[in-house]
Each structure stands twice: as structure tokens, then as C-alpha cells.
Amino acid sequence: MAKLGSWPLSAETLRRMYAGGRGNAAARRFARLWAAVYAAGLHPRRWVTLEVVGRRTGQITRFPLGMADWQGDWYLVPMLGENCNWVRNVRAADGLVTLRHGRARVCRLVEVPVDERAPILKRYLATVPGARPHLPVDRHAPLSEFAAIAAQYPAFRVETAPVR
């Protein structure tokens, strides 16, 4: 069973945890745990908890995420692609979110055009190892392979939003 770096779960186990594009019970438990850890700021700054208003419930939902740094900006990329829950919530909230890492920052997530995503996706796979089993491209692949999947994997630039 191939291991994902020092991660104790195999790539296949991680893929099964998100079969159908939605986390199973174990994935949801891990997500709650990591959301609390990242929000407390106990990991490097690239690991954050995204808080966004749910598009149907109106309640705050929390997602533990890894950010990619590229050319001086930070980006969020959904490892499950276009239709994952946090992406739909962010779009419904017009990009207005809170990122937590030790403290809360109100931010606006701005979607990157498809033709600009390839290098961001490549950087994302280089820095967020847990996403590697979910994207159909090897992290060492040329940019052309990332460009081929860019329409299926949105990237959002993190910008500081004015406090209301």
C-alpha cells in the first residue's frame, strides 16, 4: 500500500473517504478535528480554516484547507473540484469568507480565470500533499497537464476584505 509522504493513510484510502465528491463519516470527523487545529494556528500559516455562510442553511460552515502561495499571493483550491460544497458556498456568498489561523481575517475570495490556473494548481499539489490523491495529475507533470484540468478545479485568490 503506497503511503502519501509521512501520511499514515494510503492514497486509495483517502480517495475512498471522498467517494462521490463528498466526505464520508470518517472524513467529516477528520475535517472537524483539523478545522479546530488550523483555526487555533497550530500549523504553518498555509493551513487555515475557511468559514463561510452555508448557501441553504444560512449557518456558518467550516472547512480545513491548505493554501498555495504563488507570485506573492495566497490561493485556495478545492481538492474535489468544481462542485465541492465550500466552492458552492463561497460563490453564493459572493466570495466573502473568514479565514482563521490563530485569529480571524475577513477576506474575499476572487476566482481566477481558467487560463491562469495551471501554475497555481501545480503549486497547490506541491504544497498540499493531502490533495494529491484527488487530482488526476502528478505534481511533477508539465504545466500543460495542469492546464488541461484547470476548468474542473477552480482557484481563488485570497484578498483582504474591508471590515463591515
Side-chain angles (χ1 to χ4, degrees), residues 43-102:
H43 275 263
R45 106 179 190 180
R46 88 173 52 260
W47 302 101
V48 297
T49 295
L50 170 81
E51 296 180 350
V52 61
V53 176
R55 65 192 177 283
R56 287 182 283 184
T57 66
Q59 302 294 315
I60 298 292
T61 58
R62 292 172 180 83
F63 301 89
L65 299 173
M67 295 192 296
D69 54 325
W70 177 251
Q71 295 186 337
D73 289 315
W74 288 97
Y75 295 88
L76 289 170
V77 175
M79 70 180 189
L80 299 178
E82 182 73 28
N83 292 315
C84 84
N85 207 24
W86 74 258
V87 169
R88 290 184 283 174
N89 287 342
V90 164
R91 287 174 175 158
D94 196 30
L96 192 61
V97 302
T98 299
L99 293 181
R100 289 192 182 272
H101 182 89

Side-chain angles (χ1 to χ4, degrees), residues 72-152:
D73 289 315
W74 288 97
Y75 295 88
L76 289 170
V77 175
M79 70 180 189
L80 299 178
E82 182 73 28
N83 292 315
C84 84
N85 207 24
W86 74 258
V87 169
R88 290 184 283 174
N89 287 342
V90 164
R91 287 174 175 158
D94 196 30
L96 192 61
V97 302
T98 299
L99 293 181
R100 289 192 182 272
H101 182 89
R103 65 182 176 91
R105 290 184 318 157
V106 176
C107 299
R108 180 162 312 277
L109 300 185
V110 177
E111 196 159 352
V112 176
V114 173
D115 61 340
E116 297 174 21
R117 292 179 189 169
I120 298 164
L121 295 176
K122 185 173 178 102
R123 179 67 180 156
Y124 174 69
L125 279 190
T127 58
V128 182
R132 292 176 192 156
H134 303 286
L135 272 74
V137 175
D138 182 78
R139 66 185 166 134
H140 302 295
L143 278 180
S144 60
E145 290 188 34
F146 288 93
I149 65 162
Q152 301 161 13

